[in-house]
Coordinates of all heavy atoms in Angstrom, one line a residue:
G346 N -8.7 1.3 -13.2 CA -8.4 0.2 -12.3 C -9.0 0.3 -10.9 O -8.5 -0.1 -9.9
V347 N -10.2 1.0 -10.8 CA -10.9 1.1 -9.6 C -12.3 0.5 -9.7 O -12.7 0.1 -10.8 CB -11.0 2.5 -9.0 CG1 -9.6 3.1 -8.9 CG2 -11.8 3.4 -9.9
L348 N -13.1 0.5 -8.6 CA -14.5 0.0 -8.7 C -15.4 1.1 -9.1 O -15.2 2.3 -8.6 CB -14.9 -0.5 -7.3 CG -14.2 -1.7 -6.8 CD1 -14.3 -1.8 -5.2 CD2 -14.9 -3.0 -7.3
R377 N -11.8 2.3 -4.2 CA -10.8 1.3 -4.4 C -11.2 0.0 -3.6 O -10.6 -1.0 -3.8 CB -9.4 1.8 -3.9 CG -8.8 2.8 -4.8 CD -7.3 3.0 -4.3 NE -7.3 3.5 -3.0 CZ -7.4 4.7 -2.5 NH1 -7.4 5.7 -3.4 NH2 -7.4 5.0 -1.3
S378 N -12.1 0.2 -2.7 CA -12.5 -1.0 -1.9 C -14.0 -1.2 -1.8 O -14.7 -0.2 -1.8 CB -11.9 -0.9 -0.5 OG -12.9 -0.7 0.5
N379 N -14.4 -2.4 -1.8 CA -15.8 -2.7 -1.7 C -16.5 -2.2 -0.4 O -17.6 -1.8 -0.4 CB -16.0 -4.2 -1.7 CG -16.5 -4.6 -3.0 OD1 -17.7 -4.5 -3.3 ND2 -15.6 -5.1 -3.8
G380 N -15.8 -2.3 0.7 CA -16.3 -1.8 2.0 C -16.6 -0.4 1.9 O -17.7 0.1 2.4
L382 N -17.3 1.3 -0.8 CA -18.5 1.5 -1.7 C -19.8 1.3 -1.0 O -20.7 2.1 -1.0 CB -18.4 0.5 -2.8 CG -18.9 0.8 -4.2 CD1 -18.2 2.0 -4.8 CD2 -18.5 -0.4 -5.2
F408 N -23.1 -5.3 2.4 CA -22.6 -6.6 2.1 C -23.6 -7.7 2.3 O -24.2 -7.8 3.3 CB -21.3 -6.9 3.0 CG -20.1 -6.3 2.4 CD1 -19.4 -5.5 3.2 CD2 -19.7 -6.5 1.1 CE1 -18.2 -4.9 2.7 CE2 -18.5 -6.0 0.6 CZ -17.8 -5.1 1.5
G410 N -22.7 -10.9 2.2 CA -21.8 -12.1 2.2 C -21.1 -12.2 1.0 O -21.4 -11.7 -0.1
T411 N -20.0 -13.0 1.0 CA -19.1 -13.1 -0.2 C -19.0 -14.6 -0.6 O -18.1 -14.9 -1.3 CB -17.8 -12.5 0.1 OG1 -17.2 -13.1 1.3 CG2 -17.8 -11.0 0.3
N412 N -19.9 -15.4 -0.1 CA -19.9 -16.8 -0.5 C -20.6 -16.9 -1.8 O -21.8 -16.7 -2.0 CB -20.6 -17.6 0.6 CG -20.5 -19.1 0.2 OD1 -20.0 -19.5 -0.8 ND2 -21.1 -19.9 1.1
L413 N -19.8 -17.4 -2.9 CA -20.4 -17.4 -4.2 C -20.9 -18.8 -4.5 O -21.4 -19.1 -5.7 CB -19.4 -17.0 -5.2 CG -18.9 -15.5 -5.1 CD1 -18.1 -15.1 -6.3 CD2 -20.0 -14.6 -4.8
A414 N -20.9 -19.8 -3.6 CA -21.3 -21.1 -3.9 C -22.7 -21.1 -4.3 O -23.6 -20.5 -3.7 CB -21.2 -22.0 -2.6
L416 N -24.0 -19.5 -6.8 CA -24.4 -18.3 -7.6 C -24.2 -18.6 -9.1 O -23.2 -19.1 -9.6 CB -23.5 -17.1 -7.2 CG -23.9 -15.8 -7.9 CD1 -25.0 -15.1 -7.0 CD2 -22.7 -14.9 -8.0
V418 N -23.6 -17.3 -12.6 CA -23.1 -16.1 -13.4 C -23.3 -16.4 -14.9 O -22.7 -17.3 -15.4 CB -21.6 -15.9 -13.0 CG1 -21.1 -14.6 -13.8 CG2 -21.5 -15.7 -11.5
I420 N -22.5 -15.4 -18.6 CA -21.6 -14.6 -19.5 C -22.4 -14.2 -20.7 O -23.0 -15.0 -21.4 CB -20.4 -15.4 -20.0 CG1 -19.6 -16.0 -18.8 CG2 -19.5 -14.6 -20.8 CD1 -18.4 -16.6 -19.2
D435 N -8.8 -12.0 -22.2 CA -8.0 -12.6 -21.1 C -8.5 -12.2 -19.7 O -8.6 -13.1 -18.8 CB -6.5 -12.2 -21.2 CG -5.8 -12.9 -22.4 OD1 -6.4 -13.8 -23.0 OD2 -4.7 -12.4 -22.7
A436 N -8.9 -11.0 -19.6 CA -9.4 -10.5 -18.3 C -10.7 -11.2 -18.0 O -10.9 -11.6 -16.8 CB -9.6 -9.0 -18.3
L437 N -11.5 -11.4 -19.0 CA -12.8 -12.1 -18.8 C -12.5 -13.5 -18.4 O -13.1 -14.1 -17.4 CB -13.6 -12.0 -20.0 CG -15.1 -12.4 -19.9 CD1 -15.8 -11.4 -19.0 CD2 -15.7 -12.3 -21.3
A438 N -11.6 -14.2 -19.1 CA -11.3 -15.6 -18.8 C -10.7 -15.7 -17.3 O -11.0 -16.6 -16.6 CB -10.2 -16.1 -19.8
R439 N -9.8 -14.8 -16.9 CA -9.3 -14.8 -15.6 C -10.4 -14.7 -14.5 O -10.5 -15.4 -13.5 CB -8.4 -13.6 -15.3 CG -7.0 -13.8 -15.8 CD -6.0 -12.7 -15.2 NE -6.4 -11.4 -15.5 CZ -6.0 -10.7 -16.6 NH1 -5.3 -11.3 -17.6 NH2 -6.3 -9.4 -16.8
T440 N -11.4 -13.8 -14.8 CA -12.5 -13.6 -13.9 C -13.4 -14.9 -13.8 O -13.8 -15.3 -12.7 CB -13.4 -12.4 -14.4 OG1 -12.5 -11.3 -14.6 CG2 -14.5 -12.1 -13.4
V441 N -13.6 -15.5 -15.0 CA -14.4 -16.7 -14.9 C -13.7 -17.8 -14.1 O -14.3 -18.4 -13.3 CB -14.6 -17.2 -16.4 CG1 -15.2 -18.6 -16.4 CG2 -15.6 -16.3 -17.1
A442 N -12.4 -17.9 -14.3 CA -11.6 -18.9 -13.5 C -11.7 -18.6 -12.0 O -12.0 -19.5 -11.2 CB -10.2 -18.9 -13.9
D443 N -11.6 -17.3 -11.6 CA -11.7 -16.9 -10.2 C -13.1 -17.2 -9.7 O -13.3 -17.7 -8.6 CB -11.5 -15.4 -10.0 CG -10.0 -15.0 -10.2 OD1 -9.2 -16.0 -10.2 OD2 -9.7 -13.8 -10.2
L444 N -14.1 -16.9 -10.5 CA -15.5 -17.2 -10.0 C -15.7 -18.6 -9.8 O -16.4 -19.0 -8.8 CB -16.5 -16.6 -11.1 CG -16.6 -15.1 -11.2 CD1 -17.3 -14.7 -12.5 CD2 -17.4 -14.5 -10.0
E445 N -15.2 -19.5 -10.7 CA -15.4 -20.9 -10.5 C -14.6 -21.4 -9.3 O -15.2 -22.2 -8.5 CB -14.9 -21.6 -11.8 CG -16.0 -21.5 -12.8 CD -15.6 -22.1 -14.2 OE1 -14.4 -22.2 -14.5 OE2 -16.6 -22.4 -15.0
T446 N -13.4 -20.9 -9.0 CA -12.7 -21.2 -7.8 C -13.5 -20.9 -6.6 O -13.5 -21.6 -5.6 CB -11.4 -20.4 -7.7 OG1 -10.7 -20.7 -9.0 CG2 -10.5 -20.9 -6.6
L447 N -14.3 -19.8 -6.6 CA -15.1 -19.3 -5.5 C -16.4 -20.1 -5.4 O -17.2 -19.8 -4.5 CB -15.3 -17.8 -5.6 CG -14.1 -16.9 -5.4 CD1 -14.3 -15.5 -6.0 CD2 -13.8 -16.8 -3.9
G448 N -16.6 -21.0 -6.3 CA -17.8 -21.8 -6.2 C -19.0 -21.4 -7.0 O -20.1 -22.0 -7.0
A449 N -18.8 -20.4 -7.8 CA -20.0 -19.9 -8.7 C -20.1 -20.9 -9.9 O -19.1 -21.5 -10.3 CB -19.7 -18.5 -9.2
T450 N -21.3 -20.9 -10.4 CA -21.5 -21.7 -11.6 C -21.6 -20.7 -12.8 O -22.4 -19.8 -12.8 CB -22.9 -22.4 -11.6 OG1 -22.9 -23.2 -10.3 CG2 -23.1 -23.4 -12.7
V451 N -20.7 -20.9 -13.8 CA -20.7 -20.0 -14.9 C -21.5 -20.6 -16.1 O -21.2 -21.7 -16.5 CB -19.3 -19.6 -15.3 CG1 -19.2 -18.7 -16.5 CG2 -18.6 -19.0 -14.1
V556 N -26.6 -13.2 -11.8 CA -25.9 -11.9 -12.3 C -25.4 -12.2 -13.7 O -25.1 -13.4 -14.0 CB -24.7 -11.5 -11.4 CG1 -25.2 -11.1 -10.0 CG2 -23.7 -12.6 -11.3
L557 N -25.2 -11.1 -14.4 CA -24.6 -11.3 -15.8 C -23.2 -10.7 -15.7 O -22.9 -9.7 -15.0 CB -25.5 -10.5 -16.8 CG -26.9 -11.1 -16.9 CD1 -27.7 -10.2 -17.9 CD2 -26.8 -12.5 -17.5
L558 N -22.4 -11.2 -16.6 CA -21.0 -10.8 -16.6 C -20.6 -10.4 -18.1 O -20.9 -11.2 -19.0 CB -20.1 -11.9 -16.1 CG -18.6 -11.8 -16.4 CD1 -18.0 -10.6 -15.6 CD2 -17.8 -13.1 -15.9
S559 N -19.8 -9.3 -18.2 CA -19.3 -8.9 -19.5 C -18.0 -8.1 -19.3 O -17.8 -7.7 -18.1 CB -20.3 -8.1 -20.3 OG -20.3 -6.8 -19.8
P560 N -17.2 -7.8 -20.3 CA -16.2 -6.8 -20.1 C -16.9 -5.5 -19.8 O -18.1 -5.3 -20.2 CB -15.5 -6.8 -21.4 CG -15.9 -8.0 -22.1 CD -17.2 -8.4 -21.7
T561 N -16.3 -4.6 -19.1 CA -16.8 -3.2 -19.0 C -16.7 -2.4 -20.2 O -17.5 -1.6 -20.6 CB -16.2 -2.5 -17.8 OG1 -16.3 -3.3 -16.6 CG2 -16.9 -1.2 -17.5
I597 N -21.9 -3.0 -11.9 CA -20.6 -2.6 -11.2 C -19.5 -3.0 -12.1 O -19.5 -4.0 -12.8 CB -20.5 -3.3 -9.8 CG1 -19.4 -2.7 -9.0 CG2 -20.3 -4.8 -10.0 CD1 -19.4 -3.1 -7.6
S598 N -18.5 -2.1 -12.2 CA -17.2 -2.5 -12.8 C -16.2 -2.8 -11.8 O -16.0 -2.1 -10.8 CB -16.7 -1.4 -13.7 OG -15.5 -1.8 -14.4
V599 N -15.6 -4.0 -12.0 CA -14.6 -4.5 -11.0 C -13.3 -4.7 -11.7 O -13.2 -5.2 -12.8 CB -15.1 -5.9 -10.5 CG1 -14.2 -6.6 -9.6 CG2 -16.5 -5.8 -9.9
P600 N -12.2 -4.3 -11.0 CA -10.9 -4.4 -11.6 C -10.6 -5.9 -11.9 O -10.9 -6.8 -11.1 CB -9.9 -3.9 -10.6 CG -10.7 -3.0 -9.7 CD -12.1 -3.6 -9.7
A601 N -10.0 -6.2 -13.0 CA -9.7 -7.6 -13.4 C -8.3 -7.7 -13.9 O -8.1 -8.3 -15.0 CB -10.7 -8.1 -14.4
G602 N -7.4 -7.1 -13.2 CA -6.0 -7.3 -13.6 C -5.5 -6.3 -14.7 O -6.3 -5.4 -15.1
C610 N -7.8 -3.5 -16.7 CA -8.9 -4.1 -17.4 C -10.1 -4.2 -16.4 O -9.8 -4.5 -15.2 CB -8.6 -5.5 -17.8 SG -7.2 -5.7 -18.9
G611 N -11.3 -3.9 -16.8 CA -12.4 -4.0 -15.9 C -13.5 -4.9 -16.4 O -13.7 -5.0 -17.7
V612 N -14.1 -5.7 -15.5 CA -15.3 -6.5 -16.0 C -16.5 -6.0 -15.3 O -16.4 -5.4 -14.2 CB -15.1 -8.0 -15.7 CG1 -13.9 -8.6 -16.5 CG2 -14.8 -8.2 -14.2
Q613 N -17.6 -6.2 -15.9 CA -18.9 -5.6 -15.4 C -19.9 -6.7 -15.0 O -20.0 -7.7 -15.7 CB -19.6 -4.8 -16.5 CG -21.0 -4.4 -16.2 CD -21.6 -3.6 -17.4 OE1 -22.0 -2.5 -17.3 NE2 -21.7 -4.3 -18.6
F614 N -20.5 -6.6 -13.8 CA -21.5 -7.5 -13.4 C -22.8 -6.6 -13.4 O -22.8 -5.5 -12.9 CB -21.3 -8.0 -12.0 CG -20.1 -9.0 -12.0 CD1 -18.8 -8.5 -11.7 CD2 -20.3 -10.3 -12.2 CE1 -17.7 -9.4 -11.7 CE2 -19.2 -11.2 -12.2 CZ -17.9 -10.7 -11.9
I615 N -23.9 -7.3 -13.8 CA -25.2 -6.6 -13.9 C -26.2 -7.5 -13.1 O -26.1 -8.8 -13.2 CB -25.7 -6.5 -15.3 CG1 -24.7 -5.7 -16.2 CG2 -27.1 -5.7 -15.3 CD1 -25.1 -5.7 -17.7
A622 N -27.1 -5.5 -3.7 CA -26.2 -6.2 -2.7 C -25.5 -7.4 -3.3 O -24.4 -7.6 -3.0 CB -27.0 -6.6 -1.5
R623 N -26.2 -8.0 -4.2 CA -25.6 -9.2 -4.9 C -24.3 -8.8 -5.6 O -23.3 -9.5 -5.6 CB -26.6 -9.7 -5.9 CG -26.5 -11.2 -6.2 CD -27.6 -11.6 -7.2 NE -28.8 -12.0 -6.5 CZ -30.0 -12.3 -7.2 NH1 -30.0 -12.2 -8.5 NH2 -31.1 -12.6 -6.5
L624 N -24.4 -7.6 -6.3 CA -23.2 -7.1 -7.0 C -22.0 -6.8 -6.1 O -20.9 -7.1 -6.4 CB -23.5 -5.9 -7.8 CG -24.5 -6.0 -8.9 CD1 -24.8 -4.7 -9.6 CD2 -24.1 -7.1 -9.9
L625 N -22.4 -6.2 -5.0 CA -21.3 -5.8 -4.0 C -20.7 -7.1 -3.4 O -19.5 -7.2 -3.2 CB -21.8 -4.9 -2.9 CG -22.3 -3.5 -3.5 CD1 -22.9 -2.7 -2.3 CD2 -21.2 -2.8 -4.1
G626 N -21.5 -8.1 -3.2 CA -21.0 -9.4 -2.7 C -20.0 -10.0 -3.7 O -19.0 -10.5 -3.3
V627 N -20.4 -10.1 -5.0 CA -19.5 -10.7 -6.0 C -18.2 -9.9 -6.1 O -17.1 -10.5 -6.1 CB -20.2 -10.7 -7.4 CG1 -19.3 -11.1 -8.4 CG2 -21.4 -11.6 -7.3
A628 N -18.3 -8.6 -6.1 CA -17.1 -7.8 -6.2 C -16.2 -8.0 -5.0 O -15.0 -8.1 -5.1 CB -17.5 -6.3 -6.3
A629 N -16.8 -8.1 -3.8 CA -16.0 -8.3 -2.6 C -15.3 -9.7 -2.6 O -14.2 -9.8 -2.2 CB -16.9 -8.2 -1.3
A630 N -16.0 -10.7 -3.1 CA -15.4 -12.0 -3.2 C -14.2 -12.0 -4.1 O -13.2 -12.5 -3.8 CB -16.4 -13.0 -3.6
L631 N -14.4 -11.3 -5.2 CA -13.2 -11.2 -6.2 C -12.1 -10.4 -5.6 O -10.9 -10.7 -5.9 CB -13.7 -10.6 -7.5 CG -14.6 -11.5 -8.4 CD1 -15.2 -10.8 -9.6 CD2 -13.7 -12.7 -8.9
E632 N -12.4 -9.4 -4.9 CA -11.4 -8.6 -4.3 C -10.5 -9.4 -3.4 O -9.3 -9.3 -3.4 CB -12.0 -7.4 -3.6 CG -11.1 -6.4 -2.9 CD -11.8 -5.2 -2.3 OE1 -12.3 -4.4 -3.1 OE2 -11.9 -5.2 -1.1
R633 N -11.2 -10.2 -2.6 CA -10.5 -11.1 -1.6 C -9.7 -12.1 -2.3 O -8.6 -12.4 -2.0 CB -11.5 -11.8 -0.7 CG -11.4 -11.3 0.7 CD -12.5 -11.9 1.5 NE -13.4 -10.8 1.9 CZ -14.4 -11.1 2.7 NH1 -14.7 -12.3 3.1 NH2 -15.2 -10.1 3.0
Q634 N -10.3 -12.7 -3.4 CA -9.6 -13.7 -4.1 C -8.3 -13.3 -4.7 O -7.3 -14.0 -4.6 CB -10.6 -14.2 -5.3 CG -10.0 -15.1 -6.3 CD -9.9 -16.5 -5.7 OE1 -10.3 -16.7 -4.5 NE2 -9.5 -17.5 -6.4
S635 N -8.3 -12.1 -5.3 CA -7.1 -11.8 -6.1 C -6.4 -10.5 -5.6 O -5.4 -10.0 -6.2 CB -7.4 -11.8 -7.6 OG -8.5 -11.0 -7.8
G636 N -7.0 -9.9 -4.6 CA -6.3 -8.6 -4.1 C -6.1 -7.6 -5.2 O -4.9 -7.2 -5.4
R637 N -7.1 -7.3 -5.9 CA -6.9 -6.5 -7.1 C -6.9 -5.0 -7.0 O -7.0 -4.3 -8.0 CB -8.0 -6.9 -8.1 CG -7.9 -8.2 -8.7 CD -9.0 -8.3 -9.7 NE -8.8 -9.5 -10.5 CZ -9.7 -10.5 -10.7 NH1 -10.8 -10.3 -10.1 NH2 -9.4 -11.5 -11.4
T638 N -6.7 -4.5 -5.8 CA -6.8 -3.1 -5.7 C -5.4 -2.4 -5.6 O -5.2 -1.4 -5.0 CB -7.7 -2.6 -4.5 OG1 -7.2 -3.4 -3.4 CG2 -9.1 -2.9 -4.7
S639 N -4.5 -3.0 -6.3 CA -3.1 -2.4 -6.2 C -3.1 -1.0 -6.9 O -3.7 -0.8 -7.9 CB -2.1 -3.3 -7.0 OG -2.6 -3.5 -8.3

Side-chain angles (χ1 to χ4, degrees):
V347 302
L348 292 156
R377 289 188 304 269
S378 107
N379 255 282
L382 212 55
F408 276 125
T411 54
N412 180 0
L413 302 190
L416 187 85
V418 180
I420 303 187
D435 287 349
L437 195 61
R439 279 195 299 275
T440 306
V441 167
D443 286 351
L444 289 165
E445 285 175 335
T446 308
L447 290 160
T450 308
V451 178
V556 294
L557 297 175
L558 167 64
S559 77
T561 308
I597 191 166
S598 180
V599 177
C610 301
V612 294
Q613 171 184 238
F614 292 92
I615 305 173
R623 209 178 270 172
L624 295 179
L625 296 177
V627 172
L631 285 172
E632 179 175 290
R633 248 175 247 182
Q634 172 77 356
S635 46
R637 283 185 171 128
T638 49
S639 56

